[in-house]
Amino acid sequence: MSKLLSKYHVPDQDKRIQHITPQTANWEHVHFSVYELNVGESITLPASENETCLVLIAGIASVITLQQRFEKIGERISPFERKKPYAVYVAPNELMVIIAETQLELAVCQAKGKGNYPTRLITPQDISAEHRGNGNNRRYVHNILPDDQPADSLLVVEVYTDEGCTSSYPSHKHDTNNEPQETYLEETYYHRLNPSQGFCVQRVYTDDRSLDETMAVYNKDVVMVPKGYHPVATIAGYDSYYLNVMAGPTRKWLFTWEKDHQWVNSEEYAAKHASR
């Protein structure tokens, strides 16, 4: 099995189904965990030097920090409702308590913070949405914590891709500090499939193919992207959702297209598929 693929497992003693750290991923910036809680259960996350974005993937929760208390936030019971989520940005050095008001699927996205921004609630009204791509390369994006919103390191988005379509495509990379063309950003993909027995395919590869991994990704698996291109392809019958977390030395999303496939962005391709 690829070292870039973290398989789903039943909740451990800490109620985690995924736990990615810089040590386990062999990188520097991104921490990512997913928790599953039953009604009335709670978790306490210790204060650290990291800033945090708590994303309610599914369910309703109350979030308590040293400075804030957000009661019974959340609206969607499944991410495939395609409602915008609720999220909470938590400043560094703040302890967090999360209480499940319903069954709860919670993503904890972290990277090193500087303390520049206070803890705040991110509501659906704060989240922009956009369609990207055309034809069989179309997808729908919720920008939870994009680079035009306040944070020190984290970038967080969620993406919906219909059955039979590609996403994170044409292939692109962000593994080089070369502004203004490209920034170095580590990235995790937390995948959900609907129906849940489905799978999608994700490839991670570099120009010289020193890294070239192709993975069958099932529901609640995580793919780690330390470098290289990283497209996703869905399978007939199964819609895809994934939550992306990125962080690096500079909080800008600047990337480079793979030249061989950049033509898929062309007006000719868009016009060809406009009527489909």
Side-chain angles (χ1 to χ4, degrees):
M1 187 177 74
S2 172
K3 293 181 180 179
L4 301 182
L5 179 63
S6 176
K7 299 294 294 179
Y8 162 80
H9 58 76
V10 297
D12 61 19
Q13 61 182 7
D14 296 315
K15 303 180 178 65
R16 288 184 304 221
I17 64 169
Q18 289 286 355
H19 185 49
I20 310 297
T21 68
Q23 291 72 34
T24 61
N26 193 30
W27 59 29
E28 296 184 31
H29 300 278
V30 173
H31 303 244
F32 179 74
S33 296
V34 180
Y35 294 79
E36 288 187 341
L37 281 71
N38 295 317
V39 180
E41 291 184 334
S42 66
I43 56 171
T44 300
L45 303 179
S48 74
E49 64 179 355
N50 295 321
E51 64 179 2
T52 302
C53 184
L54 304 173
V55 181
L56 278 67
I57 295 174
I60 298 170
S62 294
V63 176
I64 303 164
T65 74
L66 292 174
Q67 305 295 330
Q68 298 283 355
R69 187 181 187 97
F70 306 113
E71 299 277 1
K72 297 182 179 179
I73 59 174
E75 292 181 346
R76 66 188 191 190
I77 302 304
S78 164
F80 290 100
E81 294 175 19
R82 297 202 177 193
K83 296 178 180 178
K84 295 177 185 177
Y86 276 78
V88 178
Y89 174 86
V90 183
N93 303 311
E94 287 212 40
L95 178 142
M96 295 158 266
V97 178
I98 299 96
I99 304 166
E101 307 290 352
T102 66
Q103 291 286 120
L104 180 66
E105 183 178 353
L106 175 75
V108 179
C109 319
Q110 294 183 310
K112 195 167 293 185
K114 300 175 183 176
N116 289 327
Y117 303 102
T119 296
R120 70 182 188 276
L121 179 65
I122 301 172
T123 70
Q125 291 72 34
D126 300 319
I127 295 171
S128 64
E130 60 181 314
H131 290 276
R132 295 181 188 165
N134 296 281
N136 291 334
N137 191 46
R138 65 187 182 275
R139 62 271 196 207
Y140 187 66
V141 179
H142 289 154
N143 295 302
I144 299 168
L145 196 60
D147 58 10
D148 63 354
Q149 296 299 312
D152 291 321
S153 299
L154 284 169
L155 299 164
V156 183
V157 302
E158 59 181 18
V159 179
Y160 294 91
T161 312
D162 293 335
E163 61 169 316
C165 291
T166 53
S167 191
S168 290
Y169 191 78
S171 302
H172 67 273
K173 71 181 186 75
H174 37 73
D175 58 12
T176 304
N177 279 320
N178 185 30
E179 294 186 53
Q181 284 75 39
E182 187 175 334
T183 47
Y184 173 83
L185 294 168
E186 302 158 354
E187 186 168 18
T188 54
Y189 278 68
Y190 174 63
H191 288 270
R192 297 281 263 104
L193 281 301
N194 186 36
S196 61
Q197 73 270 23
F199 69 94
C200 63
V201 176
Q202 185 157 19
R203 186 181 177 202
V204 181
Y205 62 101
T206 56
D207 284 311
D208 64 5
R209 303 303 190 264
S210 60
L211 174 63
D212 194 351
E213 300 279 354
T214 301
M215 292 156 276
V217 184
Y218 285 80
N219 198 43
K220 301 181 182 180
D221 289 349
V222 171
V223 171
M224 292 163 276
V225 183
K227 61 181 179 179
Y229 308 104
H230 39 279
V232 176
T234 64
I235 303 299
Y238 298 96
D239 292 332
S240 159
Y241 162 97
Y242 54 77
L243 179 72
N244 282 144
V245 181
M246 293 182 281
T250 303
R251 191 174 179 265
K252 293 180 183 178
W253 185 47
L254 300 174
F255 57 86
T256 302
W257 301 108
E258 186 179 13
K259 292 180 181 178
D260 286 350
H261 309 305
Q262 190 171 353
W263 67 271
V264 177
N265 288 325
S266 69
E267 293 181 3
E268 290 81 2
Y269 180 88
K272 179 180 178 181
H273 292 82
S275 60
R276 294 188 180 181

